[in-house]
């Protein structure tokens, strides 16, 4: 055994490490307490600055110490001249670099560097840009550094085209650099302020062509990388629907006015002046909504009930300085005035001002799909382009693509089902618009969700049977003209949205999952409900259910259990 180095056991090594950690911790706590005591006593000297530096060197994410350090530096500004403070702040920047080497994503270090740079008497912005370049070369997704770089660029007046060239270099070396793509999307509107934001197909064609070529190179090189696809989605633009009063409905029998807007609004943003009315009370269609696209007004009794007179009502949207008139003619029980928007104005998610450009992009994506038939990003983009161009004409292809998406990306199958449901509802609304009917039928379409219900204010009959719906959401209360609801063979458990529907007479809910009497409570708020079919629901197995339903729903005369 002589001459051999004695190797310590694992237990001995661990014990020595533990003692060393305890020793360092005691020193750290002692220094921390001393620092807190100095701050409490209002000490703002060099010793305090050195003490905070000692602590922050080992833990740069101690926000309280950075705050104390700034207090000391601001005090120094009152007792030192500009040249002296220049040296102090330059030393501070050097210290911060050492902190960033320890933790390149330290919130406190980057925030403090930003603060120091803005107070430096003679800042060296070129040095700061160089620091950003070095940090981003090590981690091109360091969002702290990207934020700091944007501040440096703004303060130093770096030309936008120079920064755009910087993103070119980063993207050229790594197409997966999501941060560079995002930064690019903030620069282009600054470089071309005359173009839409984002620069869509209606903007500068030369600019758009270059951007499309760049992003196509990226996703043809690596179709599975999401960075370029997100940028491509931004580049295609987003359709902006005109903000309008989309429909005004007046019922003489209920003496009620219902108004639908193109977006949710609050009750203070519109009014209904009328020669008979001093003031009217508005309510949203459901108590859960403080902002709603549909609002209801119950007029004072006798206001419009006389059938021999004509009444003209005008809704003013004060926020948008617009209005819509609706005339209730002599002998008419109800009347409405609605906006007839095109399919692109109603539902398109992409800008469609230059359909030739979108068609060209669809052709490119179709070429990629032939090479990569199971690429989810390509499939989803093809769907969006098809819907922007011709949602009804491409309906069959869209459904097939959604089925493929569910197979290749099963983790997001529920998302694709909801998105497909949304598009199917949009297409059904468009078909209904063209036929100008008040019946909405979308049975047996595998719907998992309901949307765009504000578009169905005038619908009198809705068929949702044989789908995968689990609830009728609060938005369902927007169907203020609904008389017949068919929702057999779903998975419905909640009826929250069947709330105060003044014309609802018949509800068919066979083979759903309604299990308690409380789930049927919303039906009690529908005064004209006469026919209710609950066959095949768990609630029908409840003892004495018929008597309890008779008490809950006294207006129902035809009950099937």
């Amino acid at each position: 055994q002589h001459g051999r180095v004695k190797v310590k056991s694992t237990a001995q090594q661990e014990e020595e490490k533990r003692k060393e950690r305890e020793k360092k911790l005691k020193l750290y706590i002692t220094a921390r307490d001393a620092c807190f005591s100095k701050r409490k006593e209002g000490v703002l000297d060099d010793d305090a600055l050195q003490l905070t530096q000692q602590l922050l060197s080992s833990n740069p994410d101690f926000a309280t110490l950075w705050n104390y350090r700034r207090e000391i530096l601001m005090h120094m500004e009152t007792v030192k001249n500009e040249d002296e403070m220049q040296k102090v702040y330059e030393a501070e920047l050097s210290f911060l670099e050492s902190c960033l080497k320890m933790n390149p994503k330290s919130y406190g270090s980057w925030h403090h560097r930003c603060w120091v740079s803005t107070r430096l008497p003679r800042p060296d912005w070129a040095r700061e840009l160089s620091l950003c370049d070095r940090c981003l070369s090590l981690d091109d997704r360091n969002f702290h550094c990207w934020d700091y770089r944007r501040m440096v660029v703004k303060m130093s007046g770096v030309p936008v085209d120079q920064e755009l060239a910087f993103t070119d270099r980063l993207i050229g070396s790594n197409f997966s650099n999501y941060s560079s793509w995002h930064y690019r999307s903030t620069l282009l509107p600054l470089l071309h302020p005359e173009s839409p934001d984002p620069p869509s197909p209606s903007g500068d064609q030369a600019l758009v062509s270059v951007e499309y070529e760049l992003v196509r190179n990226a996703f043809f090189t690596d179709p599975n990388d999401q960075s370029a696809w997100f940028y491509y989605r931004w580049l295609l633009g987003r359709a902006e629907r005109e903000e309008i009063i989309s429909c005004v409905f007046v019922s003489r029998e209920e003496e009620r006015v219902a108004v639908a807007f193109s977006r949710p609004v609050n009750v203070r943003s519109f009014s209904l002046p009328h020669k008979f009315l001093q003031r009217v009370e508005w309510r949203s269609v459901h108590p859960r909504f403080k902002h709603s696209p549909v609002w209801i007004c119950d007029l004072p009794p006798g206001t419009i009930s006389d059938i021999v007179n004509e009444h003209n009502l005008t809704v003013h949207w004060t926020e948008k300085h617009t209005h819509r008139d609706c005339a209730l003619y002599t002998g008419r029980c109800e009347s409405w005035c609605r906006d007839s928007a095109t399919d692109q104005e109603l539902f398109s998610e992409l800008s469609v001002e230059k359909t030739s450009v979108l068609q060209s992009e669809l052709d490119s994506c179709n070429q990629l799909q032939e090479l990569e038939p199971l690429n989810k990003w390509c499939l989803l983009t093809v769907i969006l382009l098809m819907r922007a161009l011709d949602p009804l004409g491409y309906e069959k292809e869209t459904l097939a693509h959604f089925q493929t998406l569910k197979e290749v990306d099963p983790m997001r199958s529920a998302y694709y089902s909801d998105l497909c449901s949304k598009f199917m509802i949009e297409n059904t609304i468009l078909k209904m618009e063209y036929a100008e009917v008040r019946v909405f039928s979308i049975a047996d379409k595998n719907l998992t969700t309901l949307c765009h219900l504000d578009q169905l204010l005038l619908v009198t009959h809705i068929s949702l049977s044989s789908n995968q719906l689990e609830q009728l959401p609060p938005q369902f209360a927007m169907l203020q003209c609904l008389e017949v609801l068919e929702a057999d063979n779903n998975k419905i458990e909640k009826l929250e949205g069947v709330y105060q529907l003044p014309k609802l007479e018949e509800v068919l809910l066979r083979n759903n999952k309604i299990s308690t009497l409380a789930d049927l409570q919303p039906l009690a708020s529908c005064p004209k409900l006469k026919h209710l079919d609950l066959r095949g629901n768990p609630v029908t197995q409840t003892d004495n259910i018929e008597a309890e339903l008779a008490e809950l729903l006294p207006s129902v005369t035809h009950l099937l259990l």
Side-chain angles (χ1 to χ4, degrees):
Q1 299 296 324
H2 295 288
R4 293 188 180 183
V5 177
K6 185 178 180 181
V7 178
K8 295 180 182 179
S9 67
T10 301
Q12 287 177 309
Q13 292 176 1
E14 289 299 322
E15 180 62 20
E16 288 184 3
K17 288 179 181 179
R18 185 188 65 79
K19 290 180 178 179
E20 183 66 23
R21 285 196 299 270
E22 286 185 356
K23 181 180 178 182
K24 289 181 178 179
L25 180 60
K26 287 180 181 178
L27 291 173
Y28 183 85
I29 292 175
T30 301
R32 182 203 64 186
D33 292 344
C35 203
F36 283 178
S37 297
K38 284 180 175 291
R39 190 186 191 197
K40 187 175 182 180
E41 295 167 4
V43 177
L44 302 171
D45 57 12
D46 289 334
D47 289 340
L49 195 68
Q50 188 61 38
L51 191 57
T52 59
Q53 181 169 329
Q54 175 187 335
L55 289 164
L56 290 167
S57 293
S58 59
N59 178 16
D61 287 306
F62 203 146
T64 302
L65 296 182
W66 287 118
N67 289 336
Y68 184 26
R69 195 167 181 84
R70 283 189 282 275
E71 292 168 7
I72 298 169
L73 292 170
M74 285 190 291
H75 171 71
M76 287 183 173
E77 289 179 359
T78 64
V79 297
K80 295 180 180 291
N81 60 36
E82 184 177 294
D83 290 339
E84 290 174 326
M85 286 309 302
Q86 177 74 20
K87 292 179 180 179
V88 169
Y89 280 133
E90 286 177 351
E92 192 73 2
L93 291 176
S94 296
F95 163 60
L96 281 164
E97 285 190 36
S98 66
C99 292
L100 291 173
K101 287 178 182 178
M102 172 176 290
N103 182 3
K105 293 185 177 180
S106 166
Y107 284 86
S109 300
W110 283 109
H111 176 68
H112 190 67
R113 191 173 192 92
C114 185
W115 182 85
V116 170
S117 294
T118 56
R119 301 182 77 89
L120 197 63
R122 295 182 296 278
D124 186 351
W125 296 119
R127 174 191 173 185
E128 297 308 299
L129 277 178
S130 176
L131 172 72
C132 292
D133 289 345
R134 294 199 308 274
C135 290
L136 292 176
S137 67
L138 298 173
D139 180 0
D140 55 21
R141 292 197 178 194
N142 186 334
F143 66 91
H144 303 276
C145 185
W146 279 108
D147 287 341
Y148 183 70
R149 185 184 183 93
R150 279 188 280 271
M151 184 278 294
V152 171
V153 167
K154 182 179 179 180
M155 296 295 292
S156 59
V158 175
V160 176
D161 56 352
Q162 182 177 318
E163 282 299 281
L164 199 64
F166 171 70
T167 66
D168 283 339
R169 293 195 303 274
L170 292 186
I171 291 171
S173 62
N174 178 14
F175 280 137
S176 185
N177 193 327
Y178 178 83
S179 298
S180 294
W181 288 111
H182 172 71
Y183 190 30
R184 194 174 185 85
S185 72
T186 67
L187 294 171
L188 284 175
L190 299 177
L191 191 61
H192 299 269
E194 72 283 356
S195 300
D197 182 12
S200 68
S202 60
D204 186 328
Q205 290 302 304
L207 164 68
V208 171
S209 297
V210 169
E211 292 303 306
Y212 280 145
E213 183 178 359
L214 175 65
V215 76
R216 277 197 299 267
N217 288 339
F219 61 63
F220 267 89
T221 301
D222 186 359
N224 292 310
D225 184 76
Q226 62 184 357
S227 303
W229 287 108
F230 280 128
Y231 181 73
Y232 188 53
R233 176 78 174 271
W234 172 83
L235 190 64
L236 288 169
R238 184 168 291 276
E240 294 291 338
R241 187 187 172 195
E242 182 185 3
E243 295 189 334
I244 57 172
I245 302 171
S246 54
C247 184
V248 176
F249 172 80
V250 183
S251 171
R252 194 187 296 272
E253 183 180 0
E254 280 88 22
E255 295 196 90
R256 175 174 295 178
V257 178
V259 184
F261 298 84
S262 56
R263 65 167 172 81
V265 300
N266 64 44
V267 71
R268 294 185 296 275
S269 67
F270 61 92
S271 61
L272 177 67
H274 189 275
K275 62 182 179 180
F276 299 114
L277 306 177
Q278 297 298 321
R279 183 173 178 271
V280 294
E281 293 291 334
W282 291 90
R283 61 179 174 86
S284 63
V285 292
H286 198 278
R288 284 180 55 178
F289 300 145
K290 289 189 167 79
H291 285 72
S292 173
V294 177
W295 288 82
I296 305 161
C297 169
D298 293 310
L299 302 177
T303 304
I304 58 174
S305 59
D306 51 328
I307 202 164
V308 296
N309 286 326
E310 176 181 323
H311 297 283
N312 296 296
L313 296 97
T314 302
V315 177
H316 291 273
W317 192 0
T318 52
E319 182 184 346
K320 292 298 173 183
H321 306 288
T322 187
H323 69 278
R324 187 172 288 277
D325 302 315
C326 187
L328 181 59
Y329 297 109
T330 301
R332 292 280 299 274
C333 292
E334 60 184 24
S335 180
W336 61 84
C337 180
R338 63 190 304 277
D339 177 63
S340 56
T342 65
D343 50 357
Q344 288 89 357
E345 292 171 328
L346 276 175
F347 301 127
S348 179
E349 294 187 22
L350 304 181
S351 172
V352 293
E353 294 170 290
K354 289 285 186 179
T355 55
S356 60
V357 175
L358 294 186
Q359 184 62 57
S360 174
E361 293 309 307
L362 177 58
D363 293 341
S364 296
C365 288
N366 281 332
Q367 290 176 20
L368 178 59
Q369 195 207 348
E370 291 178 5
L371 301 172
E372 299 280 343
L374 303 182
N375 183 276
K376 66 176 182 178
W377 300 106
C378 186
L379 285 167
L380 192 55
T381 304
V382 166
I383 289 172
L384 294 174
L385 287 166
M386 285 180 170
R387 293 200 60 74
L389 288 165
D390 186 358
L392 295 178
Y394 284 116
E395 182 175 294
K396 185 177 179 181
E397 293 92 331
T398 298
L399 291 176
H401 288 329
F402 269 120
Q403 186 58 40
T404 306
L405 277 170
K406 293 177 189 178
E407 293 169 2
V408 302
D409 190 16
M411 286 184 63
R412 294 166 186 81
S413 178
Y415 165 72
Y416 297 131
S417 293
D418 286 352
L419 189 59
C420 185
S421 298
K422 173 178 178 288
F423 290 162
M424 290 302 297
I425 289 172
E426 290 174 356
N427 284 4
T428 306
I429 290 174
L430 292 176
K431 294 171 187 175
M432 185 181 71
E433 292 277 316
Y434 297 147
E436 295 185 354
V437 297
R438 298 177 68 183
V439 176
F440 186 80
S441 179
I442 190 167
D444 198 18
K445 298 293 185 182
N446 287 317
L447 295 188
T448 56
T449 188
L450 294 174
C451 59
H452 298 306
L453 295 175
D454 57 297
Q455 298 289 329
L456 306 181
L457 173 62
L458 301 177
V459 164
T460 60
H461 188 134
I462 187 168
S463 177
L464 303 170
S465 298
S466 302
N467 285 298
Q468 303 294 318
L469 299 172
E470 297 180 359
Q471 63 169 332
L472 297 179
Q475 292 83 352
F476 197 84
M478 296 176 189
L479 280 69
Q480 285 291 300
C481 295
L482 190 65
E483 298 173 7
V484 179
L485 163 62
E486 297 180 26
D488 298 329
N489 303 311
N490 278 281
K491 302 176 181 179
I492 295 172
E493 299 178 4
K494 303 295 181 183
L495 301 172
E496 189 177 3
V498 187
Y499 175 81
Q500 291 193 2
L501 298 178
K503 298 177 180 292
L504 186 62
E505 296 182 4
E506 184 176 353
V507 176
L508 307 178
L509 290 168
R510 285 183 304 235
N511 302 320
N512 278 284
K513 294 187 177 181
I514 298 169
S515 58
T516 69
L517 200 65
D519 296 330
L520 296 169
Q521 183 68 41
L523 294 174
S525 66
C526 302
K528 291 189 175 182
L529 183 61
K530 299 286 189 256
H531 182 106
L532 177 61
D533 190 343
L534 291 173
R535 287 175 292 177
N537 283 274
V539 69
T540 60
Q541 306 302 316
T542 307
D543 293 339
N544 204 29
I545 183 62
E546 192 168 351
E548 291 182 351
L549 278 173
E551 183 179 351
L552 177 66
L553 306 171
S555 64
V556 174
T557 57
H558 189 190
L559 178 63
L560 296 175
L561 297 174

